[in-house]
Amino acid sequence: MIRLFKLLLFLGSSMNNIGKKHSQKWNIIIARKLSGLEEAMRIRRLRELQNTTKVKKRQPLRCGKVSGRLPVPDHILKPPYVNSSVLPELSCEPQFHDEEGIARMRAACELAARVLDYAGTLVRPSVTTNEIDKAVHEMIIDAGAYPSPLGYGGFPKSVCTSVNECMCHGIPDSRQLQEGDIINIDVTVYLNGYHGDTSKTYFCGNVDESMKRLVRVTEECLEKAISVCKDGANFRKIGRRISEHAERFGYGVVERFVGHGVGTIFHSEPIIIHHRNDKPGHMVEGQTFTIEPILTMGSIDCVTCDDGWTTLTADGSPAAQFEHTLLITRTGAEILTKC
C-alpha cells in the first residue's frame, strides 16, 4: 500500500512536471501567435485609420488643354529617339561607367536636381502645370541640355507633372493647381550624352495631414531603399525595404511602374522592382540606376487615360512618388541627383 502510494506520488509529480513543460511550451507558442496577431491588428488599425482619416473632398482630376511642343535650338545635343514617335525598347544591357562617364553622369544629374528644385518653387495655387513645363524647358535649354521626356515615344512635354491621384506620367496642361493638391514633378535632362533622372512630390498651399503623411512616408521608403544599395547587394532588398516601411503605415506600393538603369540610354536593365519580389541579380560597382517608388492611400491598380501616358489610381486615391539616380560604389550608393 505504501509502495503504491509512493508510486502515485511519483507519477503525480512527473505528470505535474510534464504538465509544466507542456504549459511552458504552449505559452511560448501562444505568445508567438499573440505577437503575430498584435502585429496584424496594428497594421489593420493603421489601415482603418488611413481609410477613416478625413480628407478634404475634392473633384476627380480633370485634364486641361495641352499646348504644342516647345522648340529646342539646333545646337543642343539630342537623344536618338527624338525624331521618332515609337516608344524605344528597354535596353537589355546594364550601364556601367568609367571615370569620364561618371563625371558626365554627375553633371547631368546635378543639373536635373537643380531644375527640380527650381520647379518646386513654382508650385502654388493658380499656377498651371503648363507654366511649370515652360519654366523647366527654358532652364534646361539655357544650361545647354535637352529635356529627355520631350519626344520620348511621342511624349509632348519637357517634364512630367502628376497631381493627386495621378501616379505618374502626367502631361502638363492648362489646369491650375488647387489649394491642397500634391504634385510630383519628374525631371530628366540629357547633357553631353548622359541622362540624369529625378522626381519629388510637392505640396500646393495648405495640404491636409493625411496627404502630408503619404508624401513623408514615400520619401522615407526611397531613403531606406538607398541605404541597402552597394556593390554585391541583391536587388530584391530594395523592394523588401520599401514594402516593409510602407506597410507599417497601411500604404500600397504600386507594382506596375519600376526603376531602371540610366546613363547614355534613358531606360535600360536592371529593372528595379519596388515591392517584395524574388528577382535574381545583384548590384555592381560603377553601375547607375534609379529607384522611384510610388505609394498610394488605396488601390495600387491603375488606369491610363486616352493620351496613353497619364496614369491614375483606379479608385481615385492620392499617390506620391520620389526618385533618385544612384551610382553604386564598393561601400554604398552615391546619390547623383543632389544639388
Side-chain angles (χ1 to χ4, degrees):
M1 191 68 176
I2 294 174
R3 288 180 179 176
L4 179 60
F5 181 70
K6 288 182 177 179
L7 178 61
L8 290 173
L9 284 175
F10 173 78
L11 289 174
S13 176
S14 298
M15 290 302 292
N16 187 44
N17 289 335
I18 293 172
K20 286 181 179 179
K21 290 179 180 179
H22 277 283
S23 177
Q24 291 172 350
K25 180 180 178 181
W26 283 109
N27 284 341
I28 292 171
I29 293 172
I30 291 170
R32 287 175 178 168
K33 287 184 176 179
L34 284 174
S35 177
L37 180 61
E38 287 170 355
E39 178 64 12
M41 290 300 292
R42 186 181 71 82
I43 293 173
R44 179 179 175 181
R45 285 195 298 271
L46 283 169
R47 287 186 181 276
E48 289 174 347
L49 176 64
Q50 197 70 45
N51 292 333
T52 57
T53 300
K54 291 184 178 180
V55 180
K56 182 180 178 182
K57 191 172 181 180
R58 64 179 68 250
Q59 294 295 320
L61 185 65
R62 292 182 181 276
C63 296
K65 183 179 179 181
V66 178
S67 58
R69 286 174 57 166
L70 295 171
V72 178
D74 291 339
H75 72 273
I76 299 289
L77 179 65
K78 302 170 182 64
Y81 54 75
V82 168
N83 295 320
S84 172
S85 61
V86 178
L87 190 68
E89 291 186 8
L90 179 85
S91 172
C92 62
E93 295 296 327
Q95 300 188 64
F96 301 93
H97 310 281
D98 56 18
E99 288 186 9
E100 181 182 354
I102 290 173
R104 292 193 178 196
M105 277 297 295
R106 286 195 179 110
C109 289
E110 190 269 341
L111 174 60
R114 284 195 290 110
V115 172
L116 180 61
D117 277 358
Y118 170 63
T121 67
L122 305 176
V123 175
R124 61 182 181 275
S126 81
V127 168
T128 68
T129 50
N130 196 58
E131 289 173 310
I132 294 174
D133 176 76
K134 184 178 180 180
V136 164
H137 181 90
E138 290 177 354
M139 183 174 179
I140 294 172
I141 297 303
D142 288 345
Y146 183 89
S148 302
L150 187 62
Y152 181 83
F155 192 82
K157 291 293 184 175
S158 299
V159 67
C160 295
T161 51
S162 303
V163 180
N164 297 336
E165 68 265 35
C166 183
M167 288 183 176
C168 59
H169 302 158
I171 299 176
D173 59 24
S174 62
R175 178 191 182 274
Q176 292 183 328
L177 293 176
Q178 307 295 314
E179 183 83 20
D181 283 348
I182 58 174
I183 174 174
N184 176 270
I185 301 177
D186 192 338
V187 172
T188 311
V189 305
Y190 185 66
L191 178 66
N192 296 324
Y194 287 76
H195 296 274
D197 191 1
T198 185
S199 85
K200 182 176 181 178
T201 299
Y202 294 94
F203 302 136
C204 181
N206 185 28
V207 175
D208 67 54
E209 289 303 318
S210 64
M211 301 272 267
K212 287 181 179 178
R213 187 189 310 116
L214 172 68
V215 172
R216 172 177 57 81
V217 173
T218 305
E219 185 170 22
E220 290 171 352
C221 282
L222 175 58
E223 291 167 353
K224 288 181 180 295
I226 292 172
S227 71
V228 303
C229 294
K230 65 177 181 178
D231 180 55
N234 293 322
F235 284 114
R236 60 177 174 268
K237 286 185 176 181
I238 292 172
R240 185 168 70 241
R241 278 297 180 92
I242 291 171
S243 294
E244 287 173 351
H245 193 61
E247 288 165 2
R248 290 192 183 101
F249 296 86
Y251 298 131
V253 181
V254 173
E255 298 180 3
R256 178 175 170 182
F257 298 101
V258 297
H260 53 87
V262 64
T264 57
I265 300 171
F266 197 170
H267 297 101
S268 75
E269 289 283 354
I271 295 300
I272 306 300
I273 300 174
H274 301 120
H275 60 279
R276 284 190 179 85
N277 66 91
D278 295 321
K279 182 183 177 182
H282 62 273
M283 306 167 205
V284 179
E285 185 176 3
Q287 185 175 34
T288 50
F289 56 82
T290 71
I291 302 178
E292 43 191 298
I294 304 173
L295 269 59
T296 70
M297 282 188 182
S299 173
I300 63 171
D301 295 329
C302 58
V303 291
T304 301
C305 297
D306 293 339
D307 59 33
W309 290 101
T310 307
T311 303
L312 312 175
T313 56
D315 60 358
S317 61
Q321 182 181 31
F322 283 81
E323 174 186 14
H324 273 308
T325 296
L326 308 178
L327 168 67
I328 297 303
T329 69
R330 185 174 56 83
T331 58
E334 179 184 342
I335 300 174
L336 297 178
T337 40
K338 277 188 172 181
C339 295

